[in-house]
Amino acid sequence: MLPRPRPLLQRARCEGQDCCFLPGGGRHPGETLGSTVRREVHEETGLDVTPQRLLWLREYVGSRHGGAPEDHRVEAIFPCRPEGDPESSAATPQTTCRPAWNGWSWRR
């Protein structure tokens, strides 16, 4: 476990601006949430993690917010324990963005 848990954000350029976001993506059919977290974090950052408890859950239904009726998302955030040395993890050619350890701390 990290001495001071910090969010792992991804740095990217979107529409000409620098931005940061949490690693994530879609669940494959039959895949558990924990397996999805492990796979997506590894694909996007090259880091192997073990998901801990569910921290946050949000359901978005586009038609209730002026969006497209087919836009229906369920978003979940899990704090994770990195496997190995997370400071030595670096993006590989297969990852989509460069990982960035943010200085923020998780509040309990």
Side-chain angles (χ1 to χ4, degrees):
M1 189 103 185
L2 290 174
R4 293 175 312 164
R6 298 170 289 165
L8 173 64
L9 301 177
Q10 292 182 265
R11 292 181 185 159
R13 281 200 65 76
C14 182
E15 298 178 4
Q17 295 188 11
D18 290 327
C19 62
C20 291
F21 53 92
L22 294 168
R27 188 182 65 83
H28 292 168
E31 189 176 42
T32 66
L33 287 176
S35 294
T36 302
V37 170
R38 284 188 288 278
R39 178 181 53 76
E40 287 291 344
V41 171
H42 183 77
E43 285 177 2
E44 296 183 5
T45 69
L47 183 65
D48 292 320
V49 298
T50 299
Q52 306 297 296
R53 64 185 167 76
L54 176 65
L55 179 68
W56 184 76
L57 185 67
R58 173 183 180 246
E59 181 177 29
Y60 174 83
V61 180
S63 62
R64 294 184 184 160
H65 301 281
E70 64 275 6
D71 189 4
H72 185 184
R73 293 176 257 161
V74 176
E75 300 166 350
I77 295 178
F78 289 83
C80 296
R81 185 182 70 243
E83 304 298 329
D85 180 10
E87 299 296 336
S88 66
S89 177
T92 66
Q94 292 77 32
T95 61
T96 59
C97 296
R98 185 170 156 250
W101 290 100
N102 189 289
W104 303 331
S105 294
W106 291 112
R107 291 188 183 208
R108 295 183 180 182

